[in-house]
Amino acid sequence: MPGRRTALTRVLLGHAGAHRPAELRPAPWWVAAPSLGAVPVALSAVAAHGLLTGLAAGPPGLEGLALPLALALAGLVAGVSAALALLVREPAHGGAHALVSGELGARAAAAAGACRLLSASAIAAVAAAAAARLLAPWLGLAPVPLALALLAVVVVWRLRRSREHEPVAVAATLLFALVALGVLAAAALACLLDAGACPPPVRWSPLVADGPAGWVALAGAMAAGGAALAGLDAGVERVRSVRYPQRRGVHRAVAVTTTIAALVLVGVAALGAGRAEEGPLALAGIAAPFGRPMAALVSLAATAGLLAAASAALTTARRAAAPLASDALLPRQLVAHGERVLFARGLGVLAAVAAAALLASAGRVVVLAGVAAGVSAANLAFTLAAATRRRQRRGHPAQAALAAAAAAGTGGVALLALSATLTEGGWVLALAVVALALAMPRLRAHYADVAARLATPAPEGKARLGGHHIVLLLDRIDEATARALSYVEALNPSSIEAVAAPLAGTDLRERWAELAGDLPLEVHQRVGSRADAQAMRAALAARRQRHGPQATVTALLPETLSSSWVDQLARHRLALRLKAGELAADGIVVTDLTSPEGGPGPYTLEDPREHHVLILLSGVHRGTDAAMAYATALGATTVRGLVLDINPPAAARARGQWEAAGYRAPLELVSSPAGQLSTSLRAYVREFAPDGRATFVTCVIPEVVVARRHRLLHNQLGRLVQAALLFDRGVVTTTVPTTLPPPEQGPAPPRG
């Protein structure tokens, strides 16, 4: 249902033309720093709060370990950042997935990819829970529903914005960093001037004498404190948007944010002992002695910083999903990481996992901090282990030792955090990681099987049209019907006829005769949109059987431009039913043509003077053969192939395959900056100036017919193209189905 989906997503995503493409240009380090460091800076305060709260829940005297543990975690954060900075400096750095896949193998890459993606869910969950804890006392609302509402706000914000360094998010992170450092500096100065303003000293008693309760409390505290590691890999993933050598300034930005995060972590741990319960977060408890206005400022700044951190985590997930999709470990459409409609689907899954974690943990910040620490540290452990092997192979023993030590530290934090939180809500993320890691290899195997079957050439004669028969599917006669009939007659098909299920009180026969003359019309009594769609599908199947297996039957759906999805549902329910049905599985070509309102009539037919056909493709296979045969049979003014360059290596392969196949039509590559597929395609099509009368542009889209359970994995870019072009005047979208051969046919011979 492209029309309904397009109009509905405008509400959530905004109009595509209102957004500039995602900015991939190098940014000054002082702009990149708050963008890349939003998660570590914000979650360092949460980690310190979790560390203090966990220790306070243990035996007396355990809080004396807060500062030593914070210093140890700060050292680990610094070591991890230093090891990751070595990757950032590489001219050929291709991201964490390329590193892990090349050094540790496919299984490790799948596990690391699952941790990398779902760490965004964990970070978003803990950030929303902490922000809700800060706002709940001021708003008088329950924390968990408020956290879910804040999570929804972040998701919608992330969908509507496409810039790499959002000014609002950058400002929020800067505000939080300045306020947090200012409060800590003021508290430290007050402690120096007045010993009474210092937190009460706590003496540490040996843990062995405290029994198992001390060890359990320490494990929980360390698990929550490990949240300071979350988001440290943002520089590794998002630095790929900056060309070398401009990326040399990125590790300066990472160093600055790591320093700020370490200062916040150690400062809150040192000054917040005994104050973790004085405010929603320990940082707010430190600010409490300075008065209510300062407490309000800290709550506001921390909330802004936490929401910016959640948004930054989702941005990093978008970057991380693209290489996984390119490697067939995720649905292929996620390669277009800048396309908001496609990203919305993956983001919806991540948001659902975050919401489930929030509910399973009852919104407890300490538990969610431990969950975020476990998943993020596991991801870092894979990346650093791969970095260790690479440094060893390249003869850098000191750098390899640094990466190995960081890998061991993050691996230990991951095991500790996941085991400490597994029974308290962490099982949601653990189960999601395991399920995704197991599903990725199966997804890759499925794509490989489909690619091998598509590569087999069609049987002799199947790639040529043995006759082209067009059936107009109608429920009214209007301007769109007249434009569709003009378009069809210009194609010179073997036959033209219409099948109609007229609206109540409408006499279609007389109006059809006035418009189309003696062209046949088959009228079905209107029963209901579902039954009418089934009747039309049966009529199409009967015609396909009558014309023979070599013939092509095209179902053409004329539609009037709708002002909203409500209008689309009200006026074109039958067309929506047909497009959502099984016509492709029946081997029917589906063509959609829209036209503006033309009044009550009478309508006239006009012969188009120009007709340009574009074959949209991402690769060359038997589906391309069928699409080329169909496009050639349309008798158009021009026919050309079109590749949307959202993945340069794949676009280069498609060009080579096109040339090897020997197609006579030219092939053009359309650049799609940052994956802004819809905008780039519409700009290219509008260069032909289609008006729906003198000039038409037909976009032919190959469609692979797969089992129902696999439909979300295929043809999604084609459906996005349909949705993007559906309401452009003079633009016709046509999907040409291709049935997969049975797998027993074996490997394909070389093409060309």
Side-chain angles (χ1 to χ4, degrees), residues 226-292:
L229 296 169
L232 292 179
D233 61 332
V236 177
E237 288 303 319
R238 294 170 67 182
V239 74
R240 288 181 296 135
S241 64
V242 181
R243 294 187 184 92
Y244 188 85
Q246 289 91 340
R247 67 173 57 171
R248 287 178 299 182
V250 173
H251 53 79
R252 180 190 300 176
V254 172
V256 170
T257 56
T258 301
T259 302
I260 294 174
L263 288 174
V264 172
L265 174 65
V266 174
V268 174
L271 298 170
R275 295 175 174 174
E277 298 304 323
E278 292 182 24
L281 289 179
L283 183 62
I286 295 173
F290 297 100
R292 188 175 177 84

Side-chain angles (χ1 to χ4, degrees), residues 241-461:
S241 64
V242 181
R243 294 187 184 92
Y244 188 85
Q246 289 91 340
R247 67 173 57 171
R248 287 178 299 182
V250 173
H251 53 79
R252 180 190 300 176
V254 172
V256 170
T257 56
T258 301
T259 302
I260 294 174
L263 288 174
V264 172
L265 174 65
V266 174
V268 174
L271 298 170
R275 295 175 174 174
E277 298 304 323
E278 292 182 24
L281 289 179
L283 183 62
I286 295 173
F290 297 100
R292 188 175 177 84
M294 179 59 71
L297 176 61
V298 169
S299 296
L300 176 63
T303 299
L306 289 165
L307 296 182
S311 176
L314 296 176
T315 300
T316 303
R318 178 177 66 180
R319 292 263 169 232
L324 291 168
S326 297
D327 208 12
L329 293 174
L330 287 177
R332 282 278 173 82
Q333 59 264 29
L334 292 178
V335 173
H337 53 77
E339 182 59 53
R340 291 168 297 127
V341 175
L342 295 178
F343 177 56
R345 300 171 184 174
L347 187 59
V349 175
L350 296 180
V353 174
L358 272 169
L359 294 173
S361 62
R364 288 174 291 172
V365 175
V366 175
V367 173
L368 289 170
V371 173
V375 181
S376 301
N379 168 40
L380 290 171
F382 279 111
T383 303
L384 292 167
T388 301
R389 293 193 61 175
R390 174 172 290 185
R391 294 299 165 190
Q392 288 175 337
R393 287 192 301 101
R394 296 185 177 180
H396 301 291
Q399 295 178 1
L402 173 63
T410 52
V413 171
L415 291 174
L416 180 65
L418 291 175
S419 61
T421 60
L422 194 62
T423 59
E424 299 186 53
W427 61 269
V428 172
L429 265 299
L431 184 62
V433 167
V434 172
L436 185 57
L438 292 177
M440 283 181 173
R442 298 188 63 179
L443 189 61
R444 174 187 276 179
H446 168 74
Y447 277 124
D449 174 63
V450 170
R453 292 161 69 182
L454 277 175
T456 59
E460 186 65 28

